[in-house]
Amino acid sequence: MDAYDEGSDARHGPAGPGPRRGLPGPPPAPDGPADAPDDPVDVPDGPADAPDDPVDVPDGPADAPDDPVDVPDGPADVPDDLADSPGGPVDAPGRRTAPHAPAPPADIPPAPLLPAAGPGRLPAGPPPAGPPDEPRTGVAALSLRYQIGAAVALAAVAAGVCVHLGMTFLHVAPANTVSKEHGETIEDWIYPEFEQNWKLFAPNPLQQNIAVQVRAEIRTADGGVRTTGWYDLSAQDGRAIDGNPLPSHTQQNELRRAWDFFLATHDGDNRPAGPRGTLSEAYLRRITVLRLDRADAAGPGGLVERVQIRSRTTNVAPPEWSEERVSTTPVYRTLPWWPVPEDEARGGVG
């Protein structure tokens, strides 16, 4: 039913919150003022003029009028004396509109407003699952037992590096309380593998070629004795290094550092100066015996009984543009014969 229907047959109560629906009403208003009733209809001012017996309003559309009501095309003029009626605004002669719906109680919280789906807004529902966890790599991928083993190995390596750095520092540092108290332990750690040599950075670097040579006295299988020729051990190392992109530490430094160790612990008459002198002799002797054994100097059934070592020192010739003049004649330093213990002679180290 339209709110502006002028020909509604619904009955309007004289007072109350709104119109009564489903009851027969007065006949439709005439089309013009000529047919208007003699006495105008008085509109009650309030609920005092309500009828004694309230009219029951049916619950549904069962009591609706049988004839449909024509809906006008537009709103009708509302009389001035009916616009301010207490029952609500009148939208047509003799009809009142329904009042506004009452506000909800204050103790009922309003329903939450959900954001509408659109660009930049998340759709309703559970959040999407994140990317899967990446697989563990490295030490983290190992079991607990292997992680503990790796940690112990790393700690051992770190401790060894720290000890080596400390020993090297005490060896090259000036004399101090620690180096004086534990000098023998420091030397045992450094010599001969980690001995430091600063000649490369000296103002006048080494300008000599030093070759270490050795010969041996052999007891043959038939009981005779013979002496071998000189074996140039330094030349053997030079041939092994020449053309080798990765020469070994033994080929480069073992023999050379052993000879420097001997010179530093002996006087000009080849007499040892203290316990380190005796140690240097044993170290140099073992190196030469092993080299002779590799070269099969004793022969089948032979045995090395004594060895003799000498050095051949030759000055490096100056360049052609230099005015320096040096002698290039070799200088030899020959050591006495050293007896070889039996275990060393058979390939041991004594």
Side-chain angles (χ1 to χ4, degrees), residues 1 5 44 60 67 80 109 118 133 163 169 174 179 192 197 238-239 247 250 262 265 271 274 279 285 302 328:
M1 179 183 295
D5 185 7
D67 298 330
D80 294 337
D133 296 337
V163 170
F169 172 78
S179 61
N197 187 343
R239 288 192 295 269
T250 302
F262 175 85
T265 56
R271 291 192 297 264
L279 178 62
R285 184 185 69 243
T328 57

Side-chain angles (χ1 to χ4, degrees), residues 185-207:
T185 303
I186 297 173
E187 291 178 356
D188 292 342
W189 180 274
I190 295 297
Y191 293 105
E193 288 82 4
F194 307 116
E195 184 180 359
Q196 305 299 310
N197 187 343
W198 305 105
K199 291 182 180 180
L200 179 62
F201 305 99
N204 188 19
L206 187 65
Q207 300 179 2

Side-chain angles (χ1 to χ4, degrees), residues 47-69:
D49 297 331
D52 297 334
D53 297 329
V55 180
D56 295 333
V57 179
D59 297 333
D63 298 332
D66 297 334
D67 298 330
V69 179

